[in-house]
Amino acid sequence: NAGVTQTPKFQVLKTGQSMTLQCAQDMNHNSMYWYRQDPGMGLRLIYYSASEGTTDKGEVPNGYNVSRLNKREFSLRLESAAPSQTSVYFCASSEGAAGRHEQYFGPGTRLTVT
Amino acid sequence: AQSVTQLDSQVPVFEEAPVELRCNYSSSVSVYLFWYVQYPNQGLQLLLKYLSGSTLVESINGFEAEFNKSQTSFHLRKPSVHISDTAEYFCAVSDGGYQKVTFGTGTKLQVIP
């Protein structure tokens, strides 16, 4: 039982390049989330998927897109990376709404945009 | 709108001493409160949560937090810390929905041998 897995662990991009962060969970959870963590700012929600087939914007969605590929997988895409997107990205999943249920987090992806 | 304040960015404490990590929140609706812990180079893990019922909630590793509605606080306490408790602790508040989980800025607990 791997929980929540993320790939890659580290990535360096040049400004304007694109990439996709992958996330998968094996807990049969309905809901999945993408957060970014920046020093002194806590975690901020980028996008979430309440259930398979649905996605919604969070607090900081600009510059990102997501795909809920199936119940297990939820990917985050940066179409044209900017230095402001340098951050640590966490994927999380929960059985139901994050406001009532425990969220399980992946190990994170450290992204640097130069 | 809801918000969370963790005033202490770092808290150094000697091993076996007690510790309190402070968390204050503001919300216009009923709240659900969480403490998550992040060990170095790992994702966050749930430590404990308050949804309803008893205002004192406990974790399996000796931490406890008390929901104080009048003080709008949810401080985390442990009577005797261990080196393994060294981590960053995040308080979070929610209205129970999917996207309204607001995390605090975190408090780094440094346990000194």
Side-chain angles (χ1 to χ4, degrees):
Chain A
N1 192 343
V4 179
T5 57
Q6 292 183 236
T7 55
K9 285 188 168 52
F10 301 93
Q11 185 71 48
V12 179
L13 292 178
K14 292 188 185 331
T15 297
Q17 288 184 317
S18 62
M19 78 163 296
T20 299
L21 282 65
Q22 306 286 353
C23 173
Q25 52 92 8
D26 62 2
M27 295 172 282
N28 201 36
H29 284 166
N30 291 312
S31 307
M32 298 186 73
Y33 311 82
W34 276 106
Y35 290 92
R36 59 178 290 172
Q37 183 180 32
D38 301 293
M41 300 191 73
L43 272 75
R44 292 181 293 170
L45 182 64
I46 304 171
Y47 271 93
Y48 70 99
S49 171
S51 60
E52 186 179 356
T54 69
T55 60
D56 285 285
K57 296 178 180 179
E59 182 184 356
V60 288
N62 291 344
Y64 306 95
N65 283 300
V66 291
S67 296
R68 182 77 183 264
L69 305 170
N70 47 55
K71 192 171 186 179
R72 289 187 65 247
E73 298 172 287
F74 189 39
S75 63
L76 178 71
R77 183 160 178 84
L78 286 69
E79 290 291 352
S80 179
S84 60
Q85 294 178 305
T86 293
S87 187
V88 181
Y89 291 85
F90 288 101
C91 177
S93 71
S94 62
E95 185 178 339
R100 293 174 183 260
H101 295 85
E102 176 177 1
Q103 292 185 77
Y104 294 80
F105 286 81
T109 295
R110 292 184 178 274
L111 174 66
T112 301
V113 183
T114 62
Chain B
Q2 59 194 25
S3 66
V4 177
T5 302
Q6 292 182 253
L7 285 174
D8 304 309
S9 59
Q10 295 191 30
V11 173
V13 62
F14 286 103
E15 193 173 15
E16 297 184 5
V19 69
E20 177 180 84
L21 306 183
R22 295 180 294 168
C23 172
N24 288 89
Y25 69 91
S26 67
S27 177
S28 58
V29 297
S30 297
V31 295
Y32 304 89
L33 295 157
F34 305 81
W35 276 100
Y36 281 86
V37 58
Q38 184 179 32
Y39 298 103
N41 299 314
Q42 294 186 27
L44 279 69
Q45 305 171 35
L46 181 69
L47 192 59
L48 46 79
K49 64 182 178 183
Y50 169 78
L51 299 183
S52 64
S54 173
T55 57
L56 184 67
V57 290
E58 299 176 350
S59 72
I60 58 172
N61 58 352
F63 282 94
E64 64 177 32
E66 186 162 18
F67 170 52
N68 188 322
K69 190 173 182 179
S70 63
Q71 303 274 342
T72 61
S73 68
F74 191 56
H75 301 330
L76 183 69
R77 302 183 181 95
K78 189 170 186 179
S80 176
V81 296
H82 189 266
I83 291 289
S84 60
D85 294 324
T86 294
E88 190 160 16
Y89 293 79
F90 292 89
C91 182
V93 63
S94 163
D95 66 355
Y98 282 95
Q99 63 170 316
K100 292 293 186 183
V101 178
T102 302
F103 286 86
T105 53
T107 298
K108 289 184 179 177
L109 175 62
Q110 182 188 6
V111 180
I112 304 164

